[in-house]
Structures are given as C-alpha cells and as structure tokens.
Amino acid sequence: MFSSFMTNTWIVASIVAAVAGFVGFFVVIRGASFAAHALPLGAFPGAAAASLAGVNPLFGLVAFAGLGVIGISWLSRRGRYEVATALCLITLLGLGALFLSMTSEYSQEVYALLFGEVLGVGNSDLAPVAAISAFSIAVTAALFRPLLLSSVSPDLAKARGVSSRAMELGFLTILALATAMALPVVGALLVFSLMIGPAAAARSLTDRPLLAIFLSAGISLVTVWTAIALSYLSNWPVGFFVGVLGAACYGLGRVSARVRARPSAGVPRIQA
C-alpha cells in the first residue's frame, strides 16, 4: 500500500481531496451540485480529444471544462441556469461521442475517467495537478469574501457592489478546474460525491465558514485515504468507496446536527 509505485497515488489523491473539500463548501452553500456533476461529465470527452491530438489528457479535460463554463455562463443569461447547464452537458457529451468514434484504443481510458483509476497516475501528471490546484486555491482565496457574500445573500452582495455575474463566472471557473483535476482519481460519475459529501457534512457540523472549509477538506482527505486503502485491499474501484464514504459522511453529519439541536431531556428549566 505504501510501496514506491503508490507514491504518486497518495500525492495526487491528497491534492485532489484538499481542493475538492475547499471548493465543495461553495458548491454546497450555492446549491450548485448539478453543475458539479455536469462539468466533469462534459469535460471527460476532452481527454479523448487530447488523446487524438497526442497531448496530455489533463489539458483536454481543462479545455473542455472551460468550454462548459463559457457555455453555462452565456446561456444562463438568456434562460434558466439548470437548463443552460443541461444544454452544455449534452452538447459536450455529443462531441465526446464523436471523438470516441474516431478511435478504437480508448476504452480503458474512458472507463478510468468515468469510474476513476488513481493507480494510473504517472509522474507527468504531478506537475499539472499541483499547478492547477495552486491556481484554484489562489483564485478561491482571492474571491473568498465576495464569493461567500454572493452565495449566502445575493441581494446584500448586490447592494455592496458585488457583481453576481462575475462571481458566478469565477465560481464556475474554480469548479471546472477542480472537477477536471479530480477526474483521474475518482472519475466523472463520482467526482461530485467527493465535493458534496464532505462539504455537506462539514456544513451540518458548523455555521462558521472558515471552520466548515477546513472540516470539509479534512473529511475529504480522510475519505480519499480510506478509499485508496480499501481499494488496495479489495481490488474494488476507488470511486465506489469514495461514493459510499461520502454519503456516509453526510449521513453522520446530519445525525450529529439533529442530536445537537435536540433539547436536553430531563434538565429542569430555571424560572425567573
């Protein structure tokens, strides 16, 4: 489990988990789980395009995630946000079907991007993942206050001169980078579980934004580490364990919130 060939696995998975927990906090408070699901599904055909072009698949993932951001941002100005997200998703999936039809040697890579193949991370992936992670964290930190304000109170943010369009575009850009980076680890079908499960659990445990972010990142790290260990021992996909553990974290968070909110039984009230 801790052999030399697993070094890249632990490094990349830890980076992805930390970024997913950080960004996932804003996904939860903005109610953007559909976008967190649609962007990676729309981005994975970019890996097929990159393979056809002979470049690193990660660059194709980022490029197609960027196309998704532009499409959602542009279409949502003229219609409902959910409809714009769905239209971009089906368009990118259509392009993916076209690219996949041009090659017969991409089936294993498609499976890995859909369901995750963390053991397939190579040395060439470390630098791009680290660079994208650093950029995502830096942009999120720079936009933290206005992004948080526009997420919890759009009217107050508007009154203070915060552009909702700019914050939406910034948030989608961060989300696209984070999801594209996480695809090789947990796969397109389960990347949103790594963002939403730990973040929702942290949100249930505290109302303090900074504490919730650190809790989300911590829970996400523990989830990925446990998933890798279980996958190594059972030879089951990492994505399966990430999904199950993410749902379990959310369930435990909700139970904890209910227990803390329940009034203590048998404690006499002091009358004035």
Side-chain angles (χ1 to χ4, degrees):
M1 187 186 306
F2 299 101
S3 304
S4 58
F5 76 93
M6 291 284 290
T7 302
N8 290 343
T9 295
W10 291 107
I11 293 174
V12 172
S14 299
I15 294 174
V16 168
V19 175
F22 194 77
V23 177
F25 168 77
F26 290 100
V27 174
V28 170
I29 64 173
R30 294 179 72 91
S33 56
F34 183 35
H37 179 54
L39 281 175
L41 285 176
F44 98 89
S51 179
L52 291 173
V55 299
N56 192 320
L58 187 60
F59 297 121
L61 292 172
V62 173
F64 267 62
L67 290 176
V69 169
I70 294 172
I72 293 173
S73 179
W74 183 72
L75 290 174
S76 62
R77 297 180 182 180
R78 294 161 176 78
R80 295 182 58 182
Y81 183 82
E82 296 83 0
V83 175
T85 304
L87 288 174
C88 287
L89 172 60
I90 60 176
T91 301
L92 292 174
L93 287 178
L95 290 174
L98 174 63
F99 296 142
L100 291 175
S101 70
M102 296 180 180
T103 177
S104 59
E105 302 177 355
Y106 199 66
S107 58
Q108 183 60 36
E109 287 80 359
V110 170
Y111 178 86
L113 290 173
L114 286 176
F115 299 100
E117 187 60 51
V118 70
L119 296 179
V121 177
N123 292 328
S124 61
D125 297 321
L126 291 179
V129 167
I132 294 172
S133 301
F135 181 77
S136 301
I137 295 295
V139 173
T140 306
L143 298 178
F144 180 79
R145 289 185 179 276
L147 187 58
L148 180 63
L149 185 60
S150 65
S151 300
V152 299
S153 180
D155 293 335
L156 180 58
K158 184 177 180 180
R160 293 192 175 185
V162 177
S163 172
S164 59
R165 289 291 181 187
M167 288 301 101
E168 185 66 24
L169 181 60
F171 167 72
L172 287 175
T173 301
I174 297 168
L175 179 60
L177 291 174
T179 53
M181 181 187 60
L183 282 186
V185 179
V186 294
L189 296 178
L190 290 171
V191 64
F192 65 100
S193 65
L194 185 59
M195 288 190 170
I196 296 175
R203 184 67 181 83
S204 299
L205 295 174
T206 180
D207 293 327
R208 299 169 60 184
L210 287 177
L211 179 58
I213 287 175
F214 284 112
L215 277 175
S216 176
I219 295 172
S220 183
L221 281 168
V222 173
T223 297
V224 167
W225 291 338
T226 306
I228 293 174
L230 293 175
S231 176
Y232 181 86
L233 295 174
S234 66
N235 202 29
W236 288 10
V238 173
F240 165 74
F241 292 110
V242 169
V244 171
L245 293 173
C249 289
Y250 173 70
L252 291 174
R254 294 300 302 167
V255 170
S256 175
R258 286 181 176 273
V259 170
R260 288 185 292 107
R262 184 181 303 170
S264 300
V267 176
R269 296 184 179 181
I270 300 176
Q271 299 294 332

